Amino acid sequence: MASAFEYAPAPESRTVVDIAPSYGLFIDGEFTEAADGKVFKTVSPSTEEVLSEVAQAGTEDVDRAVKAARKAFEKWSALPGAERAKYLFRIARIIQERSRELAVLETLDNGKPIKETRDADLPLVAAHFFYYAGWADKLDHAGFGANPKPLGVAGQVIPWNFPLLMLAWKIAPALATGNTVVLKPAETTPLSALFFADICRQAGLPKGVVNILPGYGDTGAALVEHPDVNKVAFTGSTAVGKAIARQVAGTNKKVTLELGGKGANIVFDDAPIDQAVEGIVTGIFFNQGQVCCAGSRLLVQESIQDELLDSLKRRVSTLRLGDPLDKNTDIGAINSAEQLARITSLAEQGEAEGAERWSPACELPTSGYWFAPTLFTNVTQAHTIARDEIFGPVLSVLTFRTPDEAVAKANNTQYGLSAGIWTEKGSRILAVANKLRAGVIWSNTFNKFDPTSPFGGYKESGFGREGGRHGLEAYLAPSSPKGER
Amino acid sequence: MSAVEKTEKTERLSVLKTYKLYVGGKFPRSESGRVYEVTDPKGKWLANAPLSSRKDARDAVVAARKAFGGWSGATAYNRGQILYRVAEMLEGRKEQFVREVADAEGLSKAKAAAQVDAAIDRWVWYAGWTDKIAQVVGGGNPVAGPFFNLSTPEPTGVVAVLAPQESSFLGLVSVIAPVIATGNTAIVIASERSPLPALSLGEVLATSDLPGGVVNVLSGKTAEIAAPLAAHQDVNAIDLAGADDVLAKELEIAAADNLKRVVRPQAVDYSATPGIDRMTAFLETKTVWHPTGSLGASGSSY
């Protein structure tokens, strides 16, 4: 591709990370093998190189970890909040110190560009621990009544798209509120959670407060089902979220679910086009579109469709796809062969259903899992690619004429996680934001996150919020007056 | 002597009331044409109540969905006025409710009066919440960037409510008021054994400026009516207060199908001042981000 600038490659050094050939489960402060000796391999999605072999937790291991967490809960929850806070502050600091190492590790294991792990994931991970550290000794002021109580052992299952960030979102509020944790990272991205286990050791965190169990879906299911788990937190697909909601029915387990989305990015005719184009690109190509709140449906006002699409295509043509460790890379690898197959199949379905496919001239590396940034035009609301979450760098473009039509189309989904609004008119932003049924609305910006800001969905995008004061509620017992039952 | 004076004095035959459902602001009989006998705890017949069918439940969902836009879009001040109006109207009809609650629960008149007073006061309590809950659970978030970031609570939508079985009026009001105070609309299944106060409440709601469909009251078999509501794709949340543990589990499983928000049955002392949990259970948090316009050379803008 001819370009005004030719960049020299600038790969981040892998030497800052020392990946061991094998890792165990982290239970009660120790790394240990799985009871049945099972292991699985984790590969680098950009090269298919085997990075390490990781112990795979089974039912017996889940039971061991829950027992360890239960034992640790007594002391941890009884600790003065100020002391718990100091542990969390320590963890935040160590994450900052080791952020380059963790960023490179995350890029190797996940396939996302170093630019994103370095500048988005890691700073947010540290910020989450800092934010919730400060809550630990101020819970009386959080609005959930005086002297709010933790729930007990939290079973947490996180996805592969933001491995360390999702860990931070789950572990930081759980520990701040006095709960202990058993966390299952995703099978394709277990490494940063295991490095985090080491950080817990460096921070001197009491044994058993945090336990990490790599494994597949069955490990997660065993954790959710475990009778001695008091709280279930899950981020992942809506289908699994529904299964979890069924599993916990009739129990006393408190549940929060952060599930899928099909976010609408609405561009009105008075929008600042250049900024909107940047926002659309961020909305769908950040993290290869493997983002639950991705702006995967572009709703553009008909009168500016041509202008906007020309601009957008020009911009997408400048994105650099390739080595995730190169700091000039915009688009990295798809996380797994399985995910690539899903994206490929949905894109093919888009074509088969009559939508018009476009990608820039883009050479894909020969090894690893790659998918070129892709736009679909002539998309209608009935198309599969306008309804199903693709979880990849695929944007569906729809049009509208009036604000009412934009709102109706944006809301026409079972999901309700995110939306974007692009217009220079303040009153229109507020009116449209008011009518959109979504938990996070970015106006004249997109994909912004902050630990102080609650995040979570309406409808089938799940329930509960993570981040902010709201995020504490998921880990505290309800305050209602109780009678006899 | 006139003929009239000759007539012997007889006891006046009272006019019995036909209890009806309250759906979409109207008072239909059950679509099924069925009724069941409602008795007091000693077995004395009080009235026939409609035995609602699943079609009644579905009709109620349609009515609640239709009412949602207007009710959730009403100002919090307006909602507060209307909830307070409910208390006013109840105060005027207190005698009726004291009698109905005494009959329904086998209480002395004094005890029933205490229940009704508490229920009226509860409407007043929630009337005062409508325009405060957003300030208590929402607010600005100090994000680390040039953004204005605001979280506001919004109603989750249509809520199915299984009213508590034992507390036919105070318990009933305690589960309805928090749902509608925050802008949701409700389909309420009255206490199976003691539905009459709930059906009479419908008459009060209808004359309290509450738009039709905001609260819909069904009577009948809790399990029969609740099943289609828990499985309904256009119901957003369910309060299982009136379900036993077996039914609650069944309904929670059905509710998972479209990820309804679920409030499980729990021990609640309805005479105590409620916390805000029953309101927040049916609220979503919407967070809106906007750049603050720090367009200097040092930072990116949009």
Side-chain angles (χ1 to χ4, degrees):
Chain A
M1 184 195 354
S3 162
F5 300 102
E6 289 299 330
Y7 296 97
E12 299 294 289
S13 171
R14 274 187 68 165
T15 56
V16 295
V17 190
D18 189 10
I19 302 176
S22 71
Y23 285 93
L25 315 168
F26 185 66
I27 299 176
D28 206 15
E30 305 294 335
F31 284 102
T32 161
E33 285 178 21
D36 57 10
K38 273 196 187 171
V39 292
F40 65 100
K41 290 178 169 50
T42 184
V43 301
S44 177
S46 61
T47 59
E48 298 177 58
E49 168 203 354
V50 174
L51 294 172
S52 188
E53 200 172 69
V54 177
Q56 182 181 339
T59 319
E60 207 177 304
D61 305 306
V62 168
D63 194 51
R64 233 176 355 132
V66 172
K67 278 203 175 84
R70 171 64 56 201
K71 193 166 153 245
F73 174 69
E74 271 182 48
K75 282 188 182 163
W76 181 249
S77 58
L79 220 67
E83 295 301 301
R84 286 204 307 273
K86 286 195 281 187
Y87 281 111
L88 287 167
F89 279 124
R90 277 188 182 185
I91 290 171
R93 274 290 191 239
I94 297 173
I95 288 169
Q96 285 182 321
E97 284 166 4
R98 296 177 61 174
S99 70
R100 172 56 61 100
E101 175 194 0
L102 293 166
V104 172
L105 175 75
E106 195 85 314
T107 285
L108 283 169
D109 203 18
N110 169 281
K112 62 168 72 186
I114 187 74
K115 195 169 76 175
E116 292 178 7
T117 52
R118 186 193 61 191
D119 299 346
D121 294 48
L122 262 299
L124 277 170
V125 170
H128 261 87
F129 279 100
F130 266 103
Y131 176 73
Y132 280 110
W135 266 123
D137 55 357
K138 301 169 191 68
L139 295 173
D140 279 347
H141 306 282
F144 304 107
N147 193 20
K149 294 276 184 287
L151 296 163
V153 175
Q156 307 179 319
V157 179
I158 59 170
W160 44 259
N161 58 342
F162 294 91
L164 201 52
L165 183 59
M166 291 301 103
L167 174 147
W169 283 25
K170 296 282 180 292
I171 291 185
L175 297 196
T177 46
N179 298 273
T180 54
V181 162
V182 180
L183 177 131
K184 187 200 88 74
E187 64 268 22
T188 60
T189 54
L191 293 183
S192 51
L194 295 166
F195 274 58
F196 178 79
D198 188 49
I199 290 172
C200 292
R201 290 214 297 199
Q202 287 188 335
L205 193 73
K207 288 171 191 265
V209 171
V210 168
N211 304 273
I212 309 280
L213 300 181
Y216 285 74
D218 53 346
T219 310
L223 179 57
V224 169
E225 272 171 8
H226 196 287
D228 206 26
V229 163
N230 304 95
K231 151 79 190 172
V232 173
F234 172 74
T235 295
S237 75
T238 292
V240 175
K242 288 180 181 181
I244 289 174
R246 282 182 204 108
Q247 269 182 353
V248 300
T251 70
N252 287 323
K253 291 174 189 174
K254 192 161 179 169
V255 191
T256 43
L257 303 171
E258 297 287 355
L259 310 175
K262 193 71 190 174
N265 217 344
I266 307 170
V267 184
F268 287 97
D269 57 6
D270 65 345
I273 295 287
D274 291 346
Q275 285 92 333
V277 165
E278 286 306 308
I280 295 162
V281 168
T282 304
I284 189 59
F285 300 124
F286 179 71
N287 203 31
Q288 296 70 249
Q290 301 168 135
V291 184
C292 51
C293 54
S296 54
R297 288 182 298 156
L298 173 63
L299 295 181
V300 55
Q301 198 150 14
E302 214 174 79
S303 52
I304 56 159
Q305 183 189 190
D306 294 344
E307 185 191 353
L308 182 77
L309 284 178
D310 287 349
S311 252
L312 181 60
K313 286 178 179 174
R314 201 180 316 125
R315 177 68 181 91
V316 174
S317 300
T318 67
L319 295 175
R320 296 173 71 97
L321 179 149
D323 182 2
L325 279 175
D326 183 331
K327 65 187 171 191
N328 297 311
T329 291
D330 298 304
I331 298 187
I334 300 301
N335 184 249
S336 64
E338 189 190 354
Q339 186 57 22
L340 178 61
R342 179 180 154 78
I343 298 168
T344 306
S345 132
L346 278 163
E348 280 166 6
Q349 202 171 342
E351 272 184 292
E353 289 178 13
E356 205 170 295
R357 181 172 183 165
W358 179 90
S359 285
C362 179
E363 205 175 302
L364 301 181
T366 46
S367 64
Y369 318 125
W370 304 91
F371 198 88
T374 300
L375 305 186
F376 276 102
T377 50
N378 286 336
V379 178
T380 74
Q381 297 181 83
H383 280 119
T384 306
I385 52 169
R387 288 185 284 116
D388 288 8
E389 187 179 39
I390 299 174
F391 225 64
V394 180
L395 180 68
S396 299
V397 183
L398 297 92
T399 61
F400 68 90
R401 289 186 178 176
T402 66
D404 280 348
E405 191 189 344
V407 167
K409 282 186 169 166
N411 285 341
N412 184 20
T413 165
Q414 89 244 37
Y415 297 114
L417 191 50
S418 72
I421 306 169
W422 297 86
T423 168
E424 287 286 34
K425 203 169 173 188
S427 57
R428 179 175 283 165
I429 287 170
L430 296 175
V432 172
N434 202 24
K435 286 182 187 156
L436 291 174
R437 303 288 290 165
V440 186
I441 294 173
W442 289 290
S443 38
N444 291 337
T445 183
F446 210 92
N447 263 351
K448 294 289 184 292
F449 301 92
D450 191 277
T452 67
S453 180
F455 177 94
Y458 284 44
K459 300 197 274 184
E460 294 191 19
S461 289
F463 36 78
R465 292 295 179 271
E466 292 183 290
R469 186 178 65 75
H470 297 73
L472 294 166
E473 187 180 14
Y475 293 94
L476 293 172
S479 59
S480 275
K482 294 292 176 287
E484 295 297 316
R485 184 180 161 87
Chain B
M1 287 172 108
S2 73
V4 174
E5 282 165 275
K6 265 188 207 165
T7 312
E8 277 187 47
K9 279 202 171 164
T10 57
E11 204 181 325
R12 178 179 171 276
L13 190 64
S14 61
V15 178
L16 294 180
K17 174 163 143 190
T18 304
Y19 283 88
K20 296 195 200 173
L21 306 176
Y22 180 51
V23 176
K26 295 192 166 64
F27 296 94
R29 293 183 165 88
S30 168
E31 157 284 333
S32 64
R34 303 178 302 176
V35 293
Y36 72 113
E37 290 192 5
V38 178
T39 58
D40 72 8
K42 288 178 182 157
K44 192 187 119 204
W45 182 82
L46 294 171
N48 293 326
L51 188 59
S52 304
S53 64
R54 62 174 51 217
K55 175 72 165 70
D56 293 315
R58 291 202 300 263
D59 288 347
V61 175
V62 172
R65 174 59 61 195
K66 202 173 158 197
F68 179 67
W71 184 243
S72 59
T75 64
Y77 179 54
N78 182 226
R79 284 202 301 270
Q81 294 268 299
I82 292 173
L83 261 65
Y84 184 75
R85 180 73 176 159
V86 175
E88 287 181 346
M89 299 305 275
L90 272 176
E91 188 82 29
R93 293 173 64 167
K94 199 150 78 178
E95 289 309 310
Q96 175 197 343
F97 282 93
V98 170
R99 192 176 64 247
E100 284 184 341
V101 170
D103 286 348
E105 301 180 28
L107 298 176
S108 68
K109 206 174 167 194
K111 280 190 176 154
Q115 297 273 309
V116 174
D117 285 347
I120 295 172
D121 292 351
R122 187 128 308 159
W123 281 109
V124 176
W125 196 72
Y126 279 110
W129 263 118
T130 59
D131 54 4
K132 294 167 193 72
I133 189 76
Q135 290 173 314
V136 171
V137 303
N141 307 305
V143 296
F147 297 96
F148 173 68
N149 178 290
L150 194 69
S151 288
T152 40
E154 288 191 346
T156 202
V158 172
V159 182
V161 179
L162 280 60
Q165 298 297 342
E166 303 309 319
S167 185
S168 68
F169 195 61
L170 178 57
L172 172 86
V173 168
S174 301
V175 293
I176 297 177
V179 170
I180 65 169
T182 47
N184 297 286
T185 56
I187 300 125
V188 183
I189 306 175
S191 162
E192 184 167 331
R193 191 169 55 77
S194 320
L196 303 184
L199 296 173
S200 290
L201 180 67
E203 296 161 18
V204 171
L205 298 177
T207 53
S208 302
D209 305 326
L210 192 74
V214 173
V215 174
N216 304 278
V217 184
L218 303 174
S219 61
K221 291 188 165 45
T222 299
E224 184 187 354
I225 310 167
L229 290 176
H232 202 297
Q233 295 297 302
D234 205 25
V235 173
N236 303 95
I238 188 162
D239 184 340
L240 298 172
D244 62 36
D245 291 344
V246 175
L247 177 62
K249 181 174 179 180
E250 205 175 285
L251 296 176
E252 190 175 344
I253 291 170
D257 206 43
N258 70 335
L259 292 163
K260 286 181 185 67
R261 281 65 176 140
V262 175
V263 173
R264 296 184 177 127
Q266 53 196 302
V268 179
D269 176 2
Y270 288 113
S271 65
T273 305
I276 62 170
D277 296 359
R278 269 207 147 74
M279 283 188 285
T280 54
F282 305 118
L283 285 173
E284 302 292 343
T285 298
K286 177 186 277 180
T287 301
V288 180
W289 292 67
H290 195 280
T292 51
S294 311
L295 299 170
S298 61
S300 68
S301 51
Y302 297 99

